[in-house]
Amino acid sequence: MPAPVSAPPPPGSVEFDEPSGTVVLRTAASCYVLRVDRAEGTVRHVHWGAPVPPADAAALPAWAGHDDSFEGRLDGVEEYPVEGGARFGVPALQVRFADGSGSLEPRVEDVRITDGDHLVVALRDRYRPLAWELHYRVPPGGDVLERWTEFTHTAGPDAEPVHLTRCSSAHWPLPQRPGWRLSCVHGGWSAENRLERTALAVGETTLTSRRGHTGHHAGPWVVLDAGHADEERGEVWATALAAGGSWRLTVQRTAAQRAGVVASEGHEGAEIPLAPGHRHVTPVSVAVYTPGGFGGVSRAFHGHVRRHVLPHPEELRPVLYNSWEATSFEVCEENQLALARRAASLGVELFVVDDGWFGARDDDRAGLGDWTPHRRRFPRGLRPLADEVHRLGMSFGLWVEPEMVNADSDLFRAHPDWVLHLPDRTATELRHQLVLDFSRPEVTDWAYGWLHALVADNGVDFLKWDFNRSFTEAGGHGGGPVRQVYIEHARGVHRLLDRLRAAFPALRVEACAGGGGRTDLAVLGRTDQVWTSDNTDAVDRLGIQHGFSQVYPAGVMSAWVTDSPNPLTGRSVPLAFRFHSAMAGVLGIGGDLTRWTEAEIEEAARLVQRYKDIRPLVQHGRQDRLLAPGEGLLTAVQYTGAGAGRTAVLVWRSSTSFGPAHPPLRLRGLDPAARYRDEDTGAEWSGATLMGYGLPVPALADGDCASALAVLQRTA
Ligand code: GLA
C-alpha cells in the first residue's frame, strides 16, 4: 500500500517550523526558505526557487560562507546584512549613531506570522537603541513576494537621533549558479527603456537615480538568470522597488558565483534621521521567481500590478486625445474646441489640454506655479471648454506640473524660499524652472488647495501630472540632512496624490516626467497610467514599449498616434502602423487633427473602433512578446483574454529587406484542444497548430513600416 501523502501547503502561505527556526513562504509556483538562529542572532537564507516540501525545507542546510580570516562567513548568506562584525559584502543597513560609530550587532527578538501570509522577523542591536523588523508578505493569487523593513529608535526622548544612511527594503539572495546574467533598462529622455541583457560582472553593479525622480536613465528593477533563460523557458529571478525620488539597486556577484540584490530607497549619502521613539518604514520591494523565462517574469509582474498595485485595475482606460504635439504652448479655447470636435468624431473618450492653459505660460520661461487660466487664451476660464467637451461625450483632462515653478511667476515672487535650494549655491535652472520642495507640508497644502479648486470648479476628470526636470542643489530646509529631501519630496507627492484621489474618487491620473521619467510601482499605486515617452515615433516606440513591458502591463502604457513625419525623428510612417504601435498599450491620439484629411479621419475612426474591440485583451489580457524588436525583421506581440477565448496579434515590420518569407508566428497561451477562427480571413486553426506550427504571418504591405493586426476567436 502506498504511504499516505499529506496535502501540500496552499500557495500564498507562510509556514514556521519553530524547532528548526525554518520559515517557508509559498507562492503559486515558488518557495522561499529562511532560517532564524536566535543563538547566533542571524537570519540566513536557505532557498528561493522551485517548491520544496515542508519536511525537506526544515532539513536543508542554511547558506554558509567561507570561514577564514579574510572572508565574512555571513557574506551573501544573510537575509538582511548589516554593517558590522565580519561582514564585507553590500550592507542592507548602515547607520550612524550620535558618537559617529555605525557598527551593528543584531539580536533576534521575535518571529511572528499574521493573517497566514505575513511574516515579521524582529531584530535589534544588542546594545544600541535601534530595532528593525523584516517584513515578508505573500500577496494572494500570484508568484510575487513582497518585502519591506521598519526601523524604530528605541531610546527615551532625550536621546540623540540615529541616522539611517542605507536602509534597504530587502536583500534578495540568489543561489549559486555557474554564470549570472542581468537584464535591465537604460536610456534617456525620449529614449527610455532600452533593454540590455549582459553577463553580470563579479563585483557590485549599481543601478540608481540621484535625480529626485525615478529617472529615464534606469528603472528600479532587475531581472537575473543563469544565462540560459529565454522568453518562454528557464529559471528567472527578478525584483522591483516601489520607490521614486532616489533609489539604488546593487547587484552583487561573488567569486563563489552567488548573487544578491540590495534594494533601497535613497542614493548614496542620503540620510534619514530617526528621532527617539520614531519609526521609519521603507517602500515595498517585490520579487518573482519563475521557471517560465522572461515572459513568465513579466506576466507575474503584470498580474501583481493589476491585482495589488493599481487603484482601479478593473477599469478599461479610455482612448484619449492630447493637445501637446498639435498646439504646443499655443492652446486657446477656439483651437481646443476645434480639436475636441474632431476627436469626438473619431471616437475619442477623453480630451486632454496639455501645457499652456495657465498663468503667463506663452512658452516654457514663465507661468509655472500660477495655476489660473491664461487670461488672453481662456478669457472665459476653462469651464466653457470643459462643458463643451463633456457635451461632446468625452471626459475632460488637464496637464499640470505641480512640483515646478518658473522664476518668472507670481508664485516664485511670493515664495522664493519654497524651492529646493542651498543658501550659498547658484540655483540651476533646467527648462527655465526650479523645483518646489514637496517635503514641506505648507507647499503641498498650497498645491492641494489649487488642485482641489481646479478639479472641482472645472469638472476635471483626468490630470496628466508632469515633472520636467531633475533636482539640483537640493537642500534641506531647517538644517536637516540635505539628501533626505530626495526621499521626502517623492513621499510628499505620493501623499498629495492620495489626498486628492480621496477627495475626488472619480479623478484619474496619468504619471509623466518628460515622458517615462516617473515609472515605478509607487506611482502606479496612485495613478492609472503612465506617459511612456515623449518620443512618439511609432518605430522607436516598439523598442521603448518592449522595455516597458518587462515589468509594467500594457494597460498602464499610454501611447499616442501623432503626425507624420514625426516631429522628433522626421520619419514618415503610415497611419495604420502608427495606430498599431499605439494600440499595443493605452491608445491615445496626439496629432493635429485639424490637418488630417477626411480619408485619414475615416481610417483613424475605424482603427479607434478596432482598438475598442480588442481593448480588453490588450489592457487586461495576458501578454506574450512573440518577436522582440531588433532581433529580426518582424516584431510581434500577442494579447490573450481570460480563458484563452480570444487573442489579438500585432505585427510590425519597421524596415524591409530582400529575403525568404517570414516564418509563421508561433502563438502562446492558447488552449491546444480548442479551434480559433481568424475574424478577418475566416481561416480556422487549432490552438495546437497555432502554438506548434504557428500563425501564417498576416499580409503586410510592401516596403518599410508595414503592420497588421490579426484577431482570433475561439470557436469550439
Ligand atoms: C513634458 C511631457 C510632454 C508635454 C510637455 C509640456 O515634456 O512629457 O508630453 O506635456 O512636458 O511642456
Side-chain angles (χ1 to χ4, degrees), residues 324 354-355 399 431 464 466 468 512 514-515 531 534:
W324 177 242
D354 209 278
D355 199 349
W399 179 94
R431 210 192 192 210
K464 175 180 172 188
D466 211 339
N468 270 317
C512 173
W531 177 226
D534 277 346

Side-chain angles (χ1 to χ4, degrees), residues 577-613:
F577 189 109
R578 281 178 271 150
F579 261 94
H580 288 151
S581 172
M583 284 162 77
V586 176
L587 176 67
I589 296 175
D592 185 352
L593 296 179
T594 59
R595 294 210 225 155
W596 286 19
T597 63
E598 279 315 312
E600 285 172 327
I601 292 283
E602 268 169 38
E603 187 181 357
R606 266 198 312 278
L607 285 159
V608 168
Q609 212 34 56
R610 188 84 165 125
Y611 175 72
K612 288 179 181 171
D613 176 48

Side-chain angles (χ1 to χ4, degrees), residues 98-333:
D99 63 1
S101 71
S103 186
L104 290 161
E105 250 183 86
R107 186 176 81 192
V108 177
E109 291 274 280
D110 191 20
V111 180
R112 54 181 195 274
I113 294 167
T114 52
D115 304 327
D117 66 356
H118 181 179
L119 164 74
V120 183
V121 182
L123 298 126
R124 59 170 303 140
D125 189 82
R126 279 182 195 273
Y127 311 107
R128 301 274 184 145
L130 183 69
W132 60 101
E133 289 180 347
L134 313 183
H135 289 255
Y136 297 74
R137 210 172 75 87
V138 190
D143 265 315
V144 169
L145 295 170
E146 291 180 337
R147 285 183 64 181
W148 69 97
T149 305
E150 304 189 5
F151 306 89
T152 311
H153 189 319
T154 56
D158 297 334
E160 297 286 338
V162 176
H163 288 260
L164 306 174
T165 56
R166 184 164 191 157
C167 47
S168 308
S169 300
H171 166 235
W172 296 99
L174 302 171
Q176 270 168 304
R177 290 288 189 272
W180 278 108
R181 189 164 56 160
L182 171 69
S183 305
C184 56
V185 285
H186 62 89
W189 174 78
S190 278
E192 298 88 340
N193 294 317
R194 286 157 195 247
L195 181 67
E196 183 156 287
R197 200 155 271 157
T198 50
L200 178 67
V202 173
E204 296 168 21
T205 303
T206 293
L207 307 182
T208 189
S209 164
R210 307 181 180 98
R211 297 164 188 273
H213 62 109
T214 324
H216 303 80
H217 300 78
W221 57 266
V222 288
V223 171
L224 289 134
D225 76 293
H228 313 294
D230 62 22
E231 254 324 277
E232 290 176 85
R233 279 169 297 268
E235 289 192 299
V236 185
W237 293 258
T239 176
L241 183 67
S246 78
W247 55 269
R248 185 170 30 163
L249 297 187
T250 300
V251 191
Q252 183 175 236
R253 178 175 165 199
T254 67
Q257 304 300 4
R258 257 192 195 121
V261 186
V262 175
S264 326
E265 185 182 32
H267 56 295
E268 72 285 337
E271 292 183 31
I272 295 169
L274 194 61
H278 282 239
R279 197 173 181 79
H280 177 79
V281 180
T282 71
V284 169
S285 168
V286 302
V288 178
Y289 160 81
T290 175
F294 302 119
V297 156
S298 298
R299 284 186 290 278
F301 277 128
H302 297 173
H304 179 74
V305 169
R306 290 199 284 247
R307 269 189 296 273
H308 300 291
V309 178
L310 289 173
H312 291 287
E314 73 291 352
E315 292 180 1
L316 290 171
R317 301 268 56 88
V319 176
L320 70 74
Y321 179 84
N322 179 291
S323 67
W324 177 242
E325 289 200 18
T327 43
S328 179
F329 293 104
E330 306 299 320
V331 292
C332 66
E333 190 176 323

Side-chain angles (χ1 to χ4, degrees), residues 29-89:
S30 75
C31 141
Y32 190 99
V33 185
L34 53 97
R35 172 93 25 85
V36 181
D37 186 329
R38 287 173 190 265
E40 194 186 37
T42 56
V43 186
R44 290 182 189 236
H45 187 71
V46 178
H47 171 68
W48 182 20
V52 294
D56 289 0
L60 290 173
W63 284 11
H66 280 290
D67 208 357
D68 64 51
S69 61
F70 296 100
E71 293 290 339
R73 74 194 163 76
L74 294 172
D75 279 343
V77 309
E78 284 183 295
E79 284 293 297
Y80 198 78
V82 300
E83 185 174 63
R87 294 178 179 88
F88 307 108

Side-chain angles (χ1 to χ4, degrees), residues 257-553:
Q257 304 300 4
R258 257 192 195 121
V261 186
V262 175
S264 326
E265 185 182 32
H267 56 295
E268 72 285 337
E271 292 183 31
I272 295 169
L274 194 61
H278 282 239
R279 197 173 181 79
H280 177 79
V281 180
T282 71
V284 169
S285 168
V286 302
V288 178
Y289 160 81
T290 175
F294 302 119
V297 156
S298 298
R299 284 186 290 278
F301 277 128
H302 297 173
H304 179 74
V305 169
R306 290 199 284 247
R307 269 189 296 273
H308 300 291
V309 178
L310 289 173
H312 291 287
E314 73 291 352
E315 292 180 1
L316 290 171
R317 301 268 56 88
V319 176
L320 70 74
Y321 179 84
N322 179 291
S323 67
W324 177 242
E325 289 200 18
T327 43
S328 179
F329 293 104
E330 306 299 320
V331 292
C332 66
E333 190 176 323
E334 295 70 40
N335 66 20
Q336 297 308 291
L337 276 175
L339 289 168
R341 292 198 182 102
R342 285 222 124 179
S345 76
L346 287 181
V348 165
E349 298 157 315
L350 162 64
F351 184 83
V352 185
V353 179
D354 209 278
D355 199 349
W357 60 263
F358 52 90
R361 188 73 168 163
D362 293 324
D363 53 33
D364 60 8
R365 292 173 178 271
L368 282 174
D370 300 338
W371 298 102
T372 49
H374 192 293
R375 280 206 211 94
R376 180 169 46 79
R377 294 171 172 176
F378 293 94
R380 306 191 296 154
L382 294 168
R383 190 80 216 199
L385 173 61
D387 288 348
E388 181 59 12
V389 166
H390 286 140
R391 203 194 56 75
L392 288 166
M394 299 182 290
S395 304
F396 180 65
L398 275 181
W399 179 94
V400 292
E401 197 180 3
E403 299 148 77
M404 298 292 166
V405 65
N406 287 116
D408 185 1
S409 68
D410 293 341
L411 181 76
F412 185 73
R413 285 183 277 274
H415 298 286
D417 59 315
W418 278 9
V419 301
L420 293 175
H421 67 284
L422 294 166
D424 62 347
R425 300 289 102 179
T426 304
T428 304
E429 292 189 11
L430 297 173
R431 210 192 192 210
H432 312 291
Q433 60 197 58
L434 297 161
V435 187
L436 296 168
D437 183 351
F438 268 42
S439 72
R440 295 165 65 171
E442 68 271 35
V443 181
T444 49
D445 283 349
W446 160 82
Y448 180 76
W450 70 257
L451 281 162
H452 191 286
L454 182 73
V455 171
D457 296 349
N458 297 293
V460 174
D461 307 295
F462 177 94
L463 292 173
K464 175 180 172 188
W465 185 298
D466 211 339
F467 177 98
N468 270 317
R469 60 156 291 176
S470 302
F471 285 14
T472 57
E473 300 96 18
H477 65 103
V482 293
R483 290 190 177 172
Q484 187 186 2
V485 79
Y486 284 79
I487 295 166
E488 291 305 328
H489 177 100
R491 290 183 172 213
V493 173
H494 295 163
R495 281 191 298 273
L496 177 58
L497 277 165
D498 292 344
R499 199 173 158 199
L500 200 61
R501 293 193 74 122
F504 298 101
L507 181 70
R508 298 291 172 263
V509 183
E510 179 173 72
C512 173
R518 192 175 252 169
T519 308
D520 59 70
L521 294 177
V523 90
L524 281 177
R526 53 262 304 168
T527 54
D528 305 282
Q529 61 195 57
V530 175
W531 177 226
T532 314
S533 177
D534 277 346
N535 183 343
T536 58
D537 178 299
V539 174
D540 280 6
R541 267 301 179 107
L542 297 181
I544 293 170
Q545 295 177 175
H546 181 70
F548 186 97
S549 75
Q550 303 298 314
V551 172
Y552 309 108

